[in-house]
């Protein structure tokens, strides 16, 4: 059974997504901040992360990605540098900024998927399955 770490400060959303993902057979742990998410990453050792951007700070999710993708050999997250990460956020609606996963345009390399809120559940489940399949 694949393990998913869901990191978002919206408790209603995390509860709903947790139920949907569990119904699909995934084991789900939840964190409500970037810092809590990084702690749960080390503790729960998930196979995939679904991550919001704007939590305790406007860039908490981006900061978590940078820490996880850190290439330094002394990084405590080095075992997770290749873990699939799906960014699930409304930042584009709040800031009117446009984000892309195109490697030439991306300011945040290492993301596997970028989905905007409100999320289409079928699309999210498809992306989760694709990310987990590509990990194996």
């Amino acid at each position: 059974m694949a393990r998913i770490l869901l990191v978002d400060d919206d408790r209603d959303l995390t509860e709903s997504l947790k139920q949907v993902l569990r119904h699909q057979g995934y084991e789900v742990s939840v964190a409500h901040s970037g810092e809590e998410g990084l702690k749960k990453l080390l503790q729960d050792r998930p196979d995939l992360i679904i991550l919001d951007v704007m939590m305790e700070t406007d860039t908490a999710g981006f900061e978590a990605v940078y820490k996880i993708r850190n290439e330094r050999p002394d990084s405590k997250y080095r075992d997770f540098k290749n873990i699939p990460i799906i960014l699930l956020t409304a930042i584009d609606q709040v800031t009117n900024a446009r984000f892309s996963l195109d490697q030439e345009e991306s300011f945040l390399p290492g993301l596997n998927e970028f989905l905007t809120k409100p999320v289409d559940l079928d699309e999210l489940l498809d992306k989760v399955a694709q990310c987990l399949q590509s990990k194996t």
Side-chain angles (χ1 to χ4, degrees):
M1 174 184 315
R3 296 178 310 274
I4 297 173
L5 174 58
L6 179 57
V7 186
D8 197 306
D9 61 345
D10 182 334
R11 292 176 186 271
D12 292 333
L13 177 67
T14 55
E15 187 57 34
S16 297
L17 289 180
K18 180 172 73 170
Q19 296 305 320
V20 168
L21 292 165
R22 284 186 174 166
H23 183 73
Q24 295 296 313
Y26 299 112
E27 184 179 316
V28 181
S29 58
V30 174
H32 296 289
S33 72
E35 284 302 312
E36 182 186 2
L38 290 169
K39 289 177 186 170
K40 288 245 182 178
L41 174 65
L42 295 173
Q43 173 187 322
D44 297 346
R45 306 190 68 77
D47 301 300
L48 171 97
I49 301 170
I50 300 173
L51 180 65
D52 187 18
V53 172
M54 297 184 301
M55 294 178 282
E56 68 269 35
T57 67
D58 286 349
T59 59
F62 293 147
E63 292 165 19
V65 172
Y66 280 120
K67 288 178 182 177
I68 294 166
R69 295 295 191 240
N70 186 336
E71 294 289 332
R72 292 179 48 149
D74 61 340
S75 168
K76 63 182 170 181
Y77 308 107
R78 68 183 168 272
D79 293 344
F80 303 99
K81 70 179 182 179
N82 295 316
I83 190 171
I85 299 174
I86 298 175
L87 205 62
L88 175 62
T89 186
I91 193 170
D92 61 329
Q93 296 169 5
V94 174
T95 66
N96 292 320
R98 186 164 147 60
F99 295 95
S100 168
L101 292 181
D102 182 336
Q103 291 302 320
E104 293 181 14
E105 294 179 19
S106 182
F107 67 98
L108 195 62
L111 287 178
N112 297 82
E113 295 292 340
F114 177 84
L115 299 173
T116 58
K117 294 177 183 176
V119 66
D120 177 278
L121 290 178
D122 290 331
E123 183 180 15
L124 176 63
L125 292 173
D126 285 346
K127 299 295 184 187
V128 166
Q130 288 171 16
C131 286
L132 290 170
Q133 187 173 34
S134 69
K135 183 177 183 230
T136 58

